[in-house]
Amino acid sequence: MKHVYKVLAYLVAIEVAVQAAMAVWGDAGLGKWISEGGVLDKSFSESGGTPFPEVAGLIGHALNGMFVIPAIALLLLISSFWAKVPGAVKAAGLVLLLVVLQVTFGVVGHSVPLVGAVHGLNALLLFTAALYAARRGAAVSPPVTTQPQPAAGHAA
């Protein structure tokens, strides 16, 4: 279960990095689309189409952040109870708390843009907490030791 805990914690960190990449990819595509004459207004979100290919980054960011990362964080917390890693429950609880805050900041940021800045800062905290949790799982792995073996044919 230690291995499951460690993998899930690293997955959260990887997913946060993926989130950043998808958001910037989508934002860059939006900027390019606008500079080429695209118009961003209310009809953009109501059209249901894909006005530019990079909109997949914005959609992926939303879906990944609302469903995938929270599910992994919840599995991390569940696994922490059986991982037998010192501090695992606290570390996983912190990760889940930061995920809940991240989702909240992401949703509220659409109404209060300044909260979007907090969303970005919290992502850095979440990434760090996930790496901390993963390293706790890696730190308890017993060191590999080898015992000297007596030479063949000689009694010890």
Side-chain angles (χ1 to χ4, degrees):
M1 193 54 79
K2 289 177 190 176
H3 184 68
V4 169
Y5 172 82
K6 183 174 71 169
V7 167
L8 289 170
Y10 276 126
L11 272 176
V12 171
I14 290 166
E15 285 290 321
V16 171
V18 167
Q19 283 292 90
M22 285 193 296
V24 174
W25 177 50
D27 184 59
L30 175 61
K32 181 177 182 259
W33 179 68
I34 289 172
S35 71
E36 293 173 350
V39 177
L40 181 63
D41 59 11
K42 190 173 183 177
S43 66
F44 173 84
S45 62
E46 295 172 349
S47 68
T50 53
F52 57 96
E54 298 84 4
V55 76
L58 300 175
I59 294 167
H61 180 84
L63 294 175
N64 199 41
M66 293 288 288
F67 301 108
V68 177
I69 294 175
I72 296 170
L74 185 58
L75 290 172
L76 175 67
L77 180 63
I78 292 168
S79 72
S80 72
F81 292 107
W82 291 278
K84 296 184 181 165
V85 172
V89 175
K90 284 183 193 176
L94 177 61
V95 167
L96 184 60
L97 172 65
L98 290 170
V99 168
V100 169
L101 288 173
Q102 189 67 353
V103 170
T104 303
F105 295 150
V107 171
V108 173
H110 291 282
S111 301
V112 183
L114 186 58
V115 176
V118 179
H119 180 70
L121 291 173
N122 190 66
L124 296 174
L125 292 174
L126 174 56
F127 181 80
T128 304
L131 285 181
Y132 172 77
R135 297 295 296 159
R136 292 197 67 74
V140 296
S141 300
V144 177
T145 58
T146 56
Q147 299 293 327
Q149 299 296 321
H154 291 82

